[in-house]
Amino acid sequence: MEAKKDKLDDLKKVPPDLGAFFKLIDQPDRIFTVDQLSGDPPEVEWVVEKFLPRDVVGMVAATGSTGKTFFLLQMALCVASGKPFLGKETGDPADVLIIAAEETKADIHRRVDAIRKYYGIDPEAGKRLTVASVNGISGIKNRIHTWEDNVEPSQLFDALILYVKATKPRLVILDPTRRFLSGDENNSENADQFINDVEAIKNEGRGETTLLLAHHTSKGGAGGRDQHASRGSSAFVDGARWQLVMAGLDTQKDWEYDDGNILSVDDVRQHLRIELTKYNSFVPDQHEFILERRSGGVLDISASKISESGKASKPNTDYMKGKTL
């Protein structure tokens, strides 16, 4: 006990030196005293206005076949072309990167064709959207981290660090998360390290880049609207700064249009709900959207408001103004 007290006394005599720690941070503007935070704080910058901010790691969670890949492709093409997404502005056209671990080139082609036709997107805008299909690539080349090799970063991690640093894309999408994680998704340490790695990739964009992870919901969370509906360790959603949960409408319930007409089961299956369940840097003006599957599988806000039977509301068609169909 006396030895421990002597050690504490010695530490009090020596001012703490954080120089070695600070040297590990390669961005000097990250180190500051609070008195340097003068004037008005910077406004939030957006990938999609009042919906998805820049400079975050986010997650889109849904069960398989819900439409998350289609949804993310739509967002990507809107950002690349400057078209509004869900009726919200995306700003000037910007570079986007998608690494698709499940869809083939043909899959992507069919979906992109439907999205272009629906939004009236000029094919030239596609030059700003790069897609890498790593479907079926064996080994560890498509892993962000290689737990089998003493936790050394993978080739993909190194390549993405260099790519984002050089091009500062507005948006990077990894679809789906499980294909880029070589560890156990239920292990909090593995999940936390994975989030830390994708944050490091995002940070090379110096405030310009948002990185989205497509993730599956758990069996228990399927159809859920809670931020912990996503599969695996809670460290995934705890580490992400933004989360959207997608789910089909419950076919066991009655749903009606705003005029009171009840939807058939087939009509219900053509709709799904998306909900913002986590957002750290802003307060959204709308948390929930009901989407409808349109021509070619494109997802857009339902043309008529629908709700559980007995709770119908008036339609909101403002988002349709100026849209090219």
Side-chain angles (χ1 to χ4, degrees):
M1 181 66 74
E2 189 65 31
K4 183 176 182 181
K5 182 179 183 301
D6 290 343
K7 188 173 182 180
L8 287 172
D9 288 342
D10 289 341
L11 286 173
K12 290 176 182 177
K13 297 174 185 177
V14 181
D17 181 9
L18 291 176
F21 170 70
F22 289 159
K23 288 179 181 178
L24 298 175
I25 304 173
D26 64 353
Q27 299 176 42
D29 62 333
R30 284 172 171 258
I31 304 166
F32 50 85
T33 57
V34 171
D35 69 307
Q36 294 173 308
L37 303 177
S38 59
D40 295 329
E43 295 184 0
V44 175
E45 295 190 79
W46 303 100
V47 177
V48 180
E49 187 178 18
K50 296 182 179 179
F51 180 77
L52 175 63
R54 296 192 204 180
D55 198 27
V56 298
V57 168
M59 183 175 292
V60 174
T63 57
S65 300
T66 301
K68 61 182 176 299
T69 298
F70 219 130
F71 180 85
L72 288 167
L73 264 175
Q74 286 178 230
M75 183 190 296
L77 268 171
C78 286
V79 172
S81 64
K83 291 278 187 179
F85 178 67
L86 300 183
K88 298 179 178 296
E89 296 300 319
T90 59
D92 295 333
D95 291 334
V96 179
L97 171 67
I98 297 177
I99 302 185
E102 292 183 336
E103 274 67 34
T104 64
K105 184 178 180 180
D107 293 331
I108 298 293
H109 191 170
R110 286 187 287 270
R111 295 179 184 190
V112 165
D113 184 63
I115 295 166
R116 278 175 173 166
K117 290 175 179 176
Y118 183 80
Y119 284 96
I121 294 174
D122 187 331
E124 285 292 304
K127 291 180 178 179
R128 287 182 287 271
L129 172 55
T130 301
V131 181
S133 172
V134 296
N135 171 279
I137 294 179
S138 60
I140 61 172
K141 295 178 181 178
N142 63 333
R143 305 298 182 175
I144 292 296
H145 223 106
T146 311
W147 290 90
E148 293 84 354
D149 283 350
N150 298 317
V151 202
E152 289 297 322
S154 69
Q155 293 171 320
L156 177 59
F157 176 86
D158 292 339
L160 284 174
I161 286 284
L162 293 174
Y163 178 85
V164 173
K165 185 175 184 178
T167 64
K168 295 178 176 54
R170 183 74 49 79
L171 184 61
V172 174
I173 296 170
L174 302 181
D175 180 17
T177 298
R178 188 65 190 90
R179 293 292 189 99
F180 300 96
L181 175 72
S182 58
D184 180 0
E185 67 177 4
N186 295 300
N187 181 294
S188 61
E189 182 181 357
N190 289 15
D192 190 59
Q193 181 63 60
F194 178 81
I195 292 294
N196 194 65
D197 288 342
V198 294
E199 281 181 335
I201 294 167
K202 180 269 296 181
N203 286 345
E204 292 300 328
R206 297 298 191 265
E208 293 295 319
T209 302
T210 281
L211 191 149
L212 288 184
L213 302 166
H215 196 44
H216 290 97
T217 52
S218 64
K219 290 181 180 178
R225 301 168 63 181
D226 180 80
Q227 66 174 256
H228 290 289
S230 55
R231 198 173 71 183
S233 170
S234 61
F236 284 116
V237 68
D238 289 343
R241 309 304 290 166
W242 180 92
Q243 187 189 48
L244 180 79
V245 175
M246 304 177 64
L249 299 186
D250 189 345
T251 57
Q252 300 303 308
K253 296 181 178 180
D254 287 333
W255 298 85
E256 65 180 17
Y257 293 109
D258 58 282
D259 61 5
N261 288 324
I262 301 296
L263 280 72
S264 68
V265 173
D266 286 341
D267 286 337
V268 172
R269 290 190 176 121
Q270 292 303 308
H271 293 81
L272 57 93
R273 175 193 285 117
I274 63 172
E275 184 170 0
L276 290 173
T277 58
K278 186 175 182 180
Y279 37 89
N280 287 82
S281 57
F282 73 108
V283 177
D285 55 6
Q286 185 173 352
H287 294 77
E288 178 184 296
F289 302 79
I290 299 294
L291 304 186
E292 181 180 358
R293 301 182 197 279
R294 303 288 179 82
S295 176
V298 173
L299 297 168
D300 204 352
I301 297 174
S302 180
S304 297
K305 281 281 188 175
I306 67 171
S307 56
E308 288 186 46
S309 184
K311 300 179 181 179
S313 55
K314 294 181 180 180
N316 176 10
T317 58
D318 289 346
Y319 80 95
M320 295 291 288
K321 293 178 181 178
K323 175 179 285 295
T324 302
L325 297 178

